[in-house]
Amino acid sequence: MSKTALITGTSRAAGLGFAVAQLLAEQDYHVILTARDLARAESLAARLPNATALRLDLADLATMTAAAHQVAETFGRLDVLINNASDVVDFATLSALDVDLPAVQSALDIDVLGPWQLTQLLLPSLKAAPAARIVNVSSVSALQISTGLDLGASLRAPAHSFAKHALNTLTGVLASALRDTPILVNAVDPGETATHPERGDEDTARPASESARGVVWAATLPAGAPTGGLFRDRELVLSLLPGTENTAGPDRDRSEPAAGKPLTRQDQ
């Protein structure tokens, strides 16, 4: 039986989610593409050798419940969950004092509460797999809050940054809660990725196919590999486990955190 991976936010051919799906399909995974618009997910699934499309809206509990039920009924287990979907980024806002609070609520719904609820719903299927992996797609913008990273503003994209910071916290909490199981939970910053060629503002960004490699690496980690970390290009950026004192981060030396399973670099 081939392994199964569910990826949220896979409605665009140029998007990171579909790039991840393509790489996993090349490794003989059955990929489940999910999106709010089922027709778009179905169109992309038709381009892969072994894929299914499901409607899933991270702000709609009914669609999440239905998707989790279908995964359990059809596959009996889930080997990989990739929480890739994200809300619209408030790029133009440069301070928490100027943020649109409804935008913060929307970002929290899609980037934090939705993935949290979906993980709960899929947990029986994840536990039914021999060694499931959960990957939360994060962003360097969250490091403005957690490490004081300077992105040239008081707080660039505050709604997005706050939501990704919360997602990183959730990653560590889930990793700690699942520490006595074979399930590994990590966050990945994919880096600046060219997913909207129509905007014409991504000349310095790398292709989605390149950014997807780090996500797939975290999704296919072997037993005994890291859990509860934020990674970029297979490098540890931060330990997210509760109670961990970090020495790793942007422009800092990487080192193992003090708590949790060892977070060591995996050169695979």
Side-chain angles (χ1 to χ4, degrees):
M1 178 180 177
S2 62
K3 292 184 177 181
T4 304
L6 186 147
I7 310 164
T8 66
T10 49
S11 62
R12 301 175 58 257
L16 178 65
F18 186 56
V20 169
Q22 289 175 300
L23 291 179
L24 286 173
E26 290 175 2
Q27 297 187 33
D28 296 324
Y29 278 76
H30 183 102
V31 290
I32 305 169
L33 280 61
T34 72
R36 287 177 292 183
D37 187 333
L38 178 58
R40 296 176 70 174
E42 287 177 332
S43 176
L44 294 179
R47 296 166 57 172
L48 299 175
N50 194 17
T52 300
L54 295 178
R55 181 171 182 268
L56 195 155
D57 182 345
L58 289 172
D60 184 344
L61 177 59
T63 67
M64 289 190 280
T65 302
H69 177 75
Q70 189 162 345
V71 168
E73 289 294 309
T74 304
F75 303 101
R77 76 182 201 198
L78 183 65
D79 297 276
V80 174
L81 168 61
I82 298 176
N83 289 307
N84 166 72
S86 185
D87 199 28
V88 176
V89 182
D90 52 336
F91 285 117
T93 308
L94 304 180
S95 170
L97 300 177
D98 300 321
V99 73
D100 176 53
L101 287 177
V104 176
Q105 181 65 64
S106 180
L108 289 172
D109 286 343
I110 302 303
D111 290 63
V112 186
L113 299 180
W116 196 345
Q117 180 77 79
L118 184 62
T119 300
Q120 287 183 316
L121 292 168
L122 289 170
L123 195 55
S125 294
L126 290 162
K127 286 185 173 180
R133 304 289 178 256
I134 300 172
V135 182
N136 295 325
V137 177
S138 186
S139 169
V140 67
S141 63
L143 301 184
Q144 296 176 97
I145 300 171
S146 57
T147 71
L149 177 66
D150 185 358
L151 293 181
S154 170
L155 181 60
R156 186 175 297 275
H160 175 72
S161 301
F162 190 84
K164 291 301 187 183
H165 174 68
L167 180 65
N168 287 349
T169 300
L170 175 63
T171 300
V173 168
L174 292 176
S176 181
L178 293 166
R179 187 180 296 167
D180 294 331
T181 77
I183 300 174
L184 304 181
V185 189
N186 288 294
V188 172
D189 167 21
E192 187 180 3
T193 306
T195 57
H196 290 274
E198 72 280 0
R199 290 201 311 232
D201 61 353
E202 297 180 329
D203 292 343
T204 61
R206 60 187 182 183
S209 58
E210 184 176 339
S211 294
R213 294 173 189 163
V215 179
V216 171
W217 168 79
T220 57
L221 284 170
T227 194
L230 170 64
F231 292 86
R232 178 170 178 176
D233 295 334
R234 308 185 184 189
E235 291 277 0
L236 176 65
V237 177
L238 287 176
S239 171
L240 305 173
L241 291 165
T244 300
E245 181 179 352
N246 276 286
T247 56
D251 303 319
R252 306 181 193 182
D253 292 335
R254 266 66 173 177
S255 66
E256 288 189 20
K261 289 183 180 179
L263 283 161
T264 54
R265 180 179 175 183
Q266 301 288 315
D267 294 311
Q268 299 178 347

